[in-house]
Amino acid sequence: MLRPERMSKVSVTGSKRVIDEVIETAYDHHSLHVTDYEDDFEGFEPGSSLEGAADVNERLVTVRSLGSILEVEPGDAGPTGVLDDAELQAELETVRERVNELTDERDELRDRVREIDDEIDRMEPFAELGIELDLLRGYDSLEVVVGEAKADAVEDALATAEDVRAFEVFSGNGVVAAFAYPEEDAEEGVLQDALVGVDIAILEVPDADASPADYVSELETERDEFETELADVEAEIESVKQDAAGFLLRAEEQLTIEAEKKQAPLSFATTDNAFVAEGWIPTPTYDDFAAALDDAVGDHADVEELERAEFTPDGHHNEAVHDADGHEAATDGGHEVSDDKPPVVQDNGFLANPFEVLVRGYGRPKYMEFDPTLLVFLTFPMMFGFMIGDVGYGVLYAAIGAALYWKFDDALEDMGAIAIWAGLWTVLFGIMFGGDLFGQHMISTPFSKGVAPGASEFALAWLVFSVLFGVLHLNVGYLLAFVGTSQRHGLKHAVYEAGSWLLLLNGIWAWIFSTHVEGMKPGFLFESITVVTGIPFAGLPQTVGFVGLAAALVGAVLLGIGEPTELVEVLSPIVNVVSYARLMAVLLAKAGMAVAVNLLAFGAYVGEDGGFHYIFTPEHLEYVRGHPESYDLVFGGMTTSPDMTAVGLVAGVLVAIVGHIVVLLLGITAAGIQGVRLEYVEFFGKFYEGGGKPYTPFGYDREYTASE
């Protein structure tokens, strides 16, 4: 699980006479990750598409265009089946003609409705004036301007105009109509010249004889008629969609498959008479793949396993491999025409598989790297659950996750599974913390989150245990780095690059938890372990502290020899581990928020036992107030006051509901982000880079069609 699936590089060499059969067989087997020929092998050149590829691509474009126009969705699919090529071509032409006819008609009607709407909008200013349209044009001796402007500004401009003998201005809601009688010797356009300095937006008078109101009414009637026709056309398009959706989905899938097959030779190396196709295949499937090709074309094609990729820096291994007949192949790779890294097939099992989405968020593992998915599965939901630690919130997280898991596919489905695991761990820690149910202790346990009065020692204890978890987590990361570096570069490099950090990490923290210079160290470092485990712990012996310092010194020396530039980060094992204190910080923050919500809504008191208890009824509050010698009232609460009205009661309940929803949502962001950060920054940074190539086997997972 910590390694990707073993991959083999294979070469398929054959006569061009059987290239169609080879492509069909490889496509149906759906296991060969084909690599592109890079035109760097003497005597070979990139292949060309098979005959008919252009026609298939053209039809595929048509099908996808029709699907987009009709807004076909996967849910519109009908029963699966096989489409005969002639049947596909005939039905596609029928659907295309009908859809084009209807969409052209729909577009024409939409344009007409849009034009009418624009004309109605253009008529609104004239309706505000209340003047007949024929009175605003057609004069021989008068000039008329209609526009949006201030009437006073227009009148002032016309009053001072030299070439205007008389004028009249009408206005309504910001629209003015100005009539001017020019002087006898004035040139045409006097009115507009007079308004040059006025802020006016001139409007064109519509060519209509009716009143503005009547004209708008005529336009609205015409628009209603076009909209009725448009609705009929859209209904017909929807009917065509219902009839053709299943066909279009099947046709798109079938044409996509045909196009991929016909374009496959573009990745091959070819000569006039032969071809070579290379790619990667999961090693366990090689024999079956070779047998399938042998059954299909016999001796007309030869399959060779060029190499069996090892987890080395270049992804290659020089062990002897074999061809399809079991004969040992050349260790130089036989007919190898490309040099590329193997793709990655992550194999993490049913339970851990959803957590691959978190790993790929950082970067898909390289073939030579350890795949950290299993470790993320073991640690991320546990950290999340610890930071929230509440049965109520945990159940809700799991319920949200279940809804995502069952309703969606792909990444959201994986996120749903992650939420379920996070919710389950939240419930487990909630039980450990006293059966916390939305901040309310339901059972008695030896543990507390540390936010209640008198429980501060637990807050410090969880700080210490967060740090100890960090030490353990980082040890795993450095150990993986040690093993990986040893396999790739040898033991010497592993000692310098990873062993040095292991010595520094464990040496420094062994000294911190030892009794050496005990007076300089806070007492809670040792007491916290006793608080949680019940086992008396006064610190590791001084001897262990001395050994730890010596180990850290040796680690620093090794680091200086192997990676001198990293000596400036010699204290990073302390910094990285302290970063895990955020686990305790989020735990206390979310617990404190839940307590604050309950305190505001219900009130609370500290009892004779020193415990923190909520108040849920007015009678209980009165009893607490009546016995101040036994109970220390913290807050009365919104819902428990004897003077509280029904409105106040409802308000208190709303505060409780909304407050816990806020805590729930903030828990997702705070605990989720901090957990991911610890995985990505602190943990992955020790041994993991990412950037691997995804495995995309040649083939297609059919959904709407059946193979012949």
Side-chain angles (χ1 to χ4, degrees):
M1 281 188 172
L2 290 176
R3 288 292 194 185
E5 188 169 346
R6 189 76 176 273
M7 302 295 289
S8 290
K9 190 170 188 179
V10 300
S11 172
V12 181
T13 306
S15 168
K16 277 191 173 180
R17 291 187 297 107
V18 297
I19 193 171
D20 287 348
E21 291 87 344
V22 169
I23 290 174
E24 286 286 346
T25 303
Y27 199 89
D28 292 341
H29 201 268
H30 200 183
S31 60
L32 179 64
H33 176 101
V34 180
T35 57
D36 293 331
Y37 173 54
E38 298 176 355
D39 198 16
D40 56 0
F41 194 74
E42 185 177 354
F44 288 84
E45 60 182 19
S48 56
S49 300
L50 298 179
E51 183 179 354
D55 178 60
V56 170
N57 286 328
E58 182 179 348
R59 284 188 287 169
L60 180 58
V61 169
T62 300
V63 168
R64 288 175 174 169
S65 175
L66 292 173
S68 176
I69 292 171
L70 295 177
E71 298 180 352
V72 174
E73 301 290 342
D76 300 323
T80 60
V82 178
L83 279 175
D84 176 77
D85 189 65
E87 175 190 354
L88 187 153
Q89 179 67 19
E91 188 167 353
L92 178 59
E93 185 62 24
T94 300
V95 173
R96 185 188 64 80
E97 290 178 358
R98 186 61 180 142
V99 169
N100 287 344
E101 176 186 342
L102 290 172
T103 52
D104 288 345
E105 186 176 355
R106 180 184 63 184
D107 293 343
E108 183 178 347
L109 289 170
R110 284 177 174 174
D111 289 341
R112 193 69 190 96
V113 169
R114 191 179 303 111
E115 291 172 0
I116 292 175
D117 285 336
D118 292 341
E119 185 70 10
I120 291 174
D121 291 340
R122 199 160 65 91
M123 283 301 301
E124 288 181 358
F126 299 96
E128 298 290 347
L129 279 173
I131 300 176
E132 299 294 319
L133 294 176
D134 59 351
L135 298 177
L136 297 174
R137 64 176 184 274
Y139 296 102
D140 293 329
S141 58
L142 291 178
E143 292 187 7
V144 184
V145 168
V146 180
E148 295 176 335
K150 293 182 179 180
D152 293 343
V154 173
E155 290 176 349
D156 292 343
L158 294 179
T160 57
E162 295 180 356
D163 294 331
V164 175
R165 185 184 306 178
F167 68 88
E168 189 70 44
V169 176
F170 301 89
S171 65
N173 291 333
V175 181
V176 299
F179 295 79
Y181 181 38
E183 296 287 351
E184 290 185 2
D185 58 347
E187 296 182 359
E188 186 178 355
V190 167
L191 180 54
Q192 291 197 22
D193 290 343
L195 297 177
V196 167
V198 178
D199 184 12
I200 181 172
I202 296 178
L203 304 172
E204 182 181 352
V205 179
D207 185 15
D209 296 330
S211 68
D214 291 341
Y215 186 48
V216 168
S217 179
E218 292 175 5
L219 290 173
E220 289 176 342
T221 300
E222 186 178 2
R223 181 186 62 187
D224 291 342
E225 293 174 355
F226 283 125
E227 286 182 339
T228 299
E229 293 182 39
L230 179 60
D232 292 340
V233 172
E234 288 179 338
E236 193 166 351
I237 290 175
E238 181 64 25
S239 176
V240 172
K241 172 186 174 180
Q242 297 300 322
D243 294 338
F247 161 74
L248 290 174
L249 289 170
R250 291 195 302 274
E252 180 180 6
E253 182 170 274
Q254 184 160 317
L255 289 170
T256 297
I257 291 172
E258 290 182 22
E260 289 181 355
K261 291 177 181 178
K262 291 186 178 297
Q263 292 170 357
L266 295 174
S267 300
F268 297 175
T270 63
T271 63
D272 291 339
N273 300 310
F275 71 92
V276 178
E278 284 189 0
W280 294 94
I281 191 170
T283 300
T285 65
Y286 168 73
D287 290 338
D288 185 62
F289 175 74
L293 282 177
D294 185 62
D295 290 342
V297 298
D299 295 335
H300 296 290
D302 182 45
V303 184
E304 289 183 277
E305 184 182 14
L306 300 178
E307 62 176 304
R308 195 163 294 174
E310 188 57 89
F311 303 113
T312 56
D314 59 359
H316 299 298
H317 188 55
N318 288 328
E319 68 180 29
V321 292
H322 301 82
D323 60 20
D325 297 323
H327 301 115
E328 186 173 303
T331 56
D332 63 359
H335 300 297
E336 188 172 4
V337 294
S338 65
D339 181 20
D340 63 320
K341 301 296 187 293
V344 175
V345 181
Q346 292 176 266
D347 181 20
N348 292 290
F350 172 73
L351 295 179
N353 184 69
F355 289 80
E356 289 180 4
V357 71
L358 291 182
V359 173
R360 287 196 293 268
Y362 186 91
R364 187 184 300 272
K366 295 178 181 177
Y367 186 80
M368 66 178 183
E369 289 185 309
F370 286 108
D371 181 353
T373 301
L374 177 62
L375 299 172
V376 174
F377 163 68
L378 295 174
T379 56
F380 175 78
M382 181 175 63
M383 288 190 291
F384 185 99
F386 175 80
M387 286 185 276
I388 304 300
D390 188 288
V391 175
Y393 296 137
V395 169
L396 291 178
Y397 288 140
I400 293 171
L404 291 174
Y405 184 80
W406 294 111
K407 188 173 182 179
F408 297 98
D409 297 321
D410 302 325
L412 284 177
E413 179 184 7
D414 292 338
M415 293 303 295
I418 293 171
I420 292 173
W421 280 108
L424 293 176
W425 275 101
T426 302
V427 169
L428 288 175
F429 277 107
I431 294 173
M432 186 188 83
F433 290 134
D436 260 17
L437 185 68
F438 300 113
Q440 166 67 26
H441 294 311
M442 305 303 294
I443 59 176
S444 177
T445 64
F447 305 106
S448 169
K449 292 179 180 177
V451 294
S456 59
E457 71 276 8
F458 277 101
L460 295 173
W462 300 134
L463 170 62
V464 172
F465 273 82
S466 296
V467 166
L468 290 174
F469 175 79
V471 173
L472 176 61
H473 202 210
L474 296 184
N475 261 295
V476 174
Y478 283 130
L479 283 171
L480 291 176
F482 186 91
V483 174
T485 305
S486 177
Q487 291 178 342
R488 295 192 299 270
H489 304 296
L491 182 61
K492 179 180 177 180
H493 283 87
V495 170
Y496 288 146
E497 295 179 16
S500 58
W501 290 112
L502 278 168
L503 290 170
L504 279 165
L505 172 68
N506 293 288
I508 290 174
W509 284 99
W511 175 80
I512 289 175
F513 280 94
S514 75
T515 56
H516 183 228
V517 293
E518 184 177 2
M520 297 176 57
K521 301 172 183 176
F524 71 83
L525 276 179
F526 314 123
E527 297 164 1
S528 295
I529 296 177
T530 302
V531 168
V532 174
T533 65
I535 301 173
F537 180 75
L540 297 172
Q542 286 195 24
T543 304
V544 174
F546 289 131
V547 172
L549 285 176
L553 179 60
V554 171
V557 171
L558 292 174
L559 184 64
I561 296 173
E563 299 288 342
T565 58
E566 293 191 13
L567 276 175
V568 294
E569 299 184 14
V570 71
L571 296 180
S572 62
I574 298 178
V575 177
N576 294 160
V577 169
V578 170
S579 182
Y580 283 79
R582 66 189 68 239
L583 297 176
M584 177 275 296
V586 175
L587 169 68
L588 296 185
K590 294 297 155 279
M593 291 177 67
V595 168
V597 170
N598 291 336
L599 183 63
L600 184 61
F602 308 115
Y605 66 92
V606 178
E608 293 179 297
D609 58 356
F612 190 77
H613 306 280
Y614 292 112
I615 305 169
F616 294 102
T617 65
E619 294 77 15
H620 194 181
L621 175 61
E622 285 301 304
Y623 180 80
V624 170
R625 284 177 172 170
H627 298 79
E629 72 284 356
S630 301
Y631 306 108
D632 183 10
L633 181 64
V634 178
F635 184 72
M638 296 178 64
T639 62
T640 56
S641 173
D643 301 326
M644 183 61 65
T645 63
V647 174
L649 179 63
V650 171
V653 173
L654 285 176
V655 165
I657 294 174
V658 173
H660 284 299
I661 290 175
V662 170
V663 176
L664 181 81
L665 296 177
L666 290 177
I668 296 174
T669 56
I673 290 174
Q674 297 303 332
V676 168
R677 184 204 177 280
L678 290 173
E679 298 285 6
Y680 285 180
V681 178
E682 312 301 344
F683 185 55
F684 285 7
K686 305 300 176 284
F687 68 97
Y688 186 68
E689 292 182 3
K693 183 194 303 182
Y695 171 64
T696 53
F698 183 55
Y700 196 95
D701 292 322
R702 295 177 181 267
E703 295 183 64
Y704 312 114
T705 61
S707 58
E708 296 180 353

